[in-house]
């Protein structure tokens, strides 16, 4: 797992990725002037998958809960990491949200990109994130977005992937 904790680094560099085989839209989102940027992330992600021969991902409520909870937490407490403040891993959060733990799962995170299009572009320009997005065995996704106006990066993004 790669963790990024240095708030002085450029937002484009600040993206973490973790893979393992194996919903709330907050008031903060509304403050960012968006309706549902999470749906936009899914649209851009599925365009990339289609262009590379993968089937579309569908939103999964449990993965959405895990992704949105983590994005909101990062935005609320001004941090950027795959690990939650309480030490939970992405796989802990995904399992606790109700997604089966006997499946393949992955997480992409990013911070600083102001739009869904820019965050997906950033992930596609990063080998590890791109590998998650273009892994054709993933069939479901949860997307999270958090906005913190007084935080270092303002915009916090999470994608959780699953094979079911």
């Amino acid at each position: 797992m790669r963790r990024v904790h240095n708030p002085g680094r450029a937002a484009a560099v600040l993206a973490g990725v973790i893979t393992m085989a194996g919903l709330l839209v907050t008031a903060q989102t509304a403050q960012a002037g968006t309706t549902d940027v999470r749906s936009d992330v899914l649209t851009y992600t599925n365009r990339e998958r289609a262009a590379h021969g993968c089937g579309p991902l569908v939103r999964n409520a449990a993965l959405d809960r895990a992704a949105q909870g983590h994005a909101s937490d990062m935005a609320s407490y001004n941090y950027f990491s795959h690990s939650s403040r309480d030490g939970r891993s992405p796989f802990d959060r995904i399992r606790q949200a109700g997604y089966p733990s006997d499946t393949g799962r992955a997480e992409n995170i990013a911070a600083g990109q102001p739009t869904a299009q820019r965050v997906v572009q950033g992930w596609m320009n990063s080998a590890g994130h791109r590998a998650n997005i273009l892994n054709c065995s993933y069939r479901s996704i949860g997307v999270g977005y958090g906005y913190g106006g007084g935080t270092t990066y303002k915009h916090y993004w999470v994608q959780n992937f699953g094979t079911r």
Side-chain angles (χ1 to χ4, degrees):
M1 174 175 11
R2 186 175 79 162
R3 294 186 184 143
V4 179
H5 297 282
N6 183 347
R9 298 182 92 174
V13 176
L14 285 176
V17 62
I18 184 168
T19 57
M20 176 178 170
L23 179 47
L24 314 154
V25 176
T26 66
Q28 294 168 332
T29 302
Q31 290 174 359
T34 59
T35 52
D36 189 4
V37 294
R38 298 179 316 146
S39 292
D40 294 341
V41 167
L42 177 61
T43 297
Y44 291 119
T45 298
N46 278 336
R47 284 183 189 163
E48 294 292 345
R49 288 173 60 86
H52 293 87
C54 293
L57 297 166
V58 295
R59 297 272 292 270
N60 175 278
L63 293 176
D64 264 351
R65 280 191 300 275
Q68 185 59 49
H70 190 52
S72 293
D73 194 58
M74 289 190 295
S76 294
Y77 293 96
N78 195 21
Y79 74 98
F80 182 74
S81 176
H82 283 290
S83 296
S84 298
R85 292 174 304 116
D86 60 8
R88 290 179 301 148
S89 73
F91 310 111
D92 295 331
R93 291 189 301 272
I94 290 168
R95 185 186 71 254
Q96 290 167 353
Y99 195 78
S101 59
D102 63 342
T103 66
R105 296 156 294 161
E107 176 174 88
N108 285 346
I109 64 173
Q113 297 82 357
T115 66
Q117 184 176 20
R118 297 250 317 259
V119 76
V120 174
Q121 281 177 333
W123 282 327
M124 290 303 292
N125 289 329
S126 164
H129 298 97
R130 180 184 180 92
N132 284 341
I133 290 170
L134 299 182
N135 182 334
C136 295
S137 69
Y138 293 131
R139 295 190 280 180
S140 55
I141 190 171
V143 180
Y145 171 75
Y147 178 79
T151 63
T152 304
Y153 304 109
K154 293 187 175 44
H155 307 276
Y156 297 82
W157 305 88
V158 178
Q159 286 181 316
N160 288 143
F161 299 90
T163 55
R164 288 196 184 171

